[in-house]
Structure formats: C-alpha cells, structure tokens
Amino acid sequence: KYMVPEILFLRGLRKANRPLWNVSFPFHFGLYLLMATFLLLLLGAIAMLLGARIIPGSGAFPSFLYYGTILVGFAGLSLGTVGTAGLLHRRLADAEFKNYSGPVDYLNLLLFLVLFGAGLLAWLFHDHDFNGARVYVYSLLTFGDRPQGSMAGGTFLGWLTIVVASLVLAYIPLTHMSHMFMKYFFYHKVKWDDAANTRGGSLEVAIQDNLALRPTWNAKHVEADGRKSWLDIATSVSKEIK
C-alpha cells in the first residue's frame, strides 16, 4: 500500500522537500503518462490492424482510445515539459544542486526537455489527435506498411520526437536514470521487505556474500581500499573527516 503512492506521487519527497517535489513530480508523472500514451497508441494500432477506425463515434472502445490518447498524451507532454524545465532551472540556479551536478546531469535533462518539448509542439501544430503517432506505431507492427488512406511522410517535429525518444530508450540503461526500473530492488524492497533472515536461509547466504565484497569507494573516511571487505568496514571504528 506504500509502494504505489511512492512510485506514482513521490510521497517521501513531498514530505521531505516540497519545493523539489513541485518540479520533480510533474517530470516523473509526465513520464508515466507518456508511457501510458504509448500503450494507448499501441492498442490503437492493434485495433486498426483488426479493422477498427480510431475516430469519434466508431464504437465505445475506439472512441475511448481516441479521446484517452489525446487526454493522457497532452497531460503527459505538458507535465513533462514543465517538470523538466523546472528541474533544469533548479540545477542551474540552486547553489546546493550545483555542488553535485555534473555535465551528464544537464545532458539528461536536456534530452528529456527536447523529447517532451518536441512532442508537445508536434501535438500543438500538427498532430492534435495523435493519429500520426498511431500510424507510426502501426508501421512498426507491420514492418513499414501504413493504414489505407493515411498520409505519407511526417513532420520535422514528429520525426524529432521519434528520434529523441529512441535515443532516450537506448541511453537510459547506461545511466543512473535506470533507477526508474531498479528502484523496486534498491529502495522499496530494502525499505519494506520484511522477510525473516533465518539461520542457514537464502537471505543469510546473500548477506554473507555481500559482506565479503571488497569495495573501492573514493570516500576516504570509509577506507574502502579494495583490500577490506564490507564486514571489515562495518565492524571497524569510523574515521569520519570533519
């Protein structure tokens, strides 16, 4: 019951740092809505393959896909643009953020800003009902074929959105942004998992294996020189540098 509010609404951040939550929540929720938009586009493309027309008044499900895609897509692109711009501004203007912001952090935010911004502009000027995006997903499913009667080609903003989205999908696993997938294992499972650590059990074995690892952190007070194990470090007296 705690995990869903934390993932969707960043409840912990809202309690701990409301100003940061004000820009971080729109970014994350906009990203979730963008994922939901792609799912709606995929369902729409499959429905088109089955002969349906995704237009108003063509049936309950096609109408749901038509209006739902517009609503979720516009909300996701808008929130994502506002949130990304807010996070970028915080890193540029807030001295505390500058102390631990590297070039890659700015690059990540710029990529998402281009993704959300280009998608929002493409919707505003060209693709109000996301039909162009749906046709593109249709062409992916059919390896290049297009629905009968659809317009050939695309717009610069549309193709820019597609290219940047593809780059982001390929880039995320190589960066710390992969926490969106690994957060369950590295945060939620650690915080809320209440499995008992029984003697001789699999959890005890995993803990012992991890305690035997020899870290090489740069923080001098940890003294992780590659020779000491986590067990040695955890049971030694801390030499924190003041």
Side-chain angles (χ1 to χ4, degrees), residues 38-39 45 51 59 88-89 100 109 125 160 235-236:
F38 178 77
L39 177 60
L88 186 59
H89 177 264
Y100 56 88
L109 288 173
F125 293 112
L160 178 62
T235 55
S236 63

Side-chain angles (χ1 to χ4, degrees), residues 84-148:
T84 309
L87 286 171
L88 186 59
H89 177 264
R90 284 294 300 270
R91 287 195 179 274
L92 291 170
D94 193 320
E96 293 185 4
F97 274 82
K98 285 183 179 180
N99 291 334
Y100 56 88
S101 295
V104 69
D105 297 303
Y106 297 108
L107 173 62
N108 294 344
L109 288 173
L110 284 172
L111 277 174
F112 276 104
L113 186 59
V114 173
L115 171 61
F116 285 119
L120 184 60
L121 291 174
W123 173 85
L124 180 63
F125 293 112
H126 305 292
D127 198 13
H128 306 300
D129 56 4
F130 288 92
N131 188 58
R134 191 178 299 108
V135 168
Y136 174 73
V137 175
Y138 180 101
S139 70
L140 292 178
L141 297 178
T142 58
F143 300 97
D145 287 343
R146 304 173 66 86
Q148 210 170 24

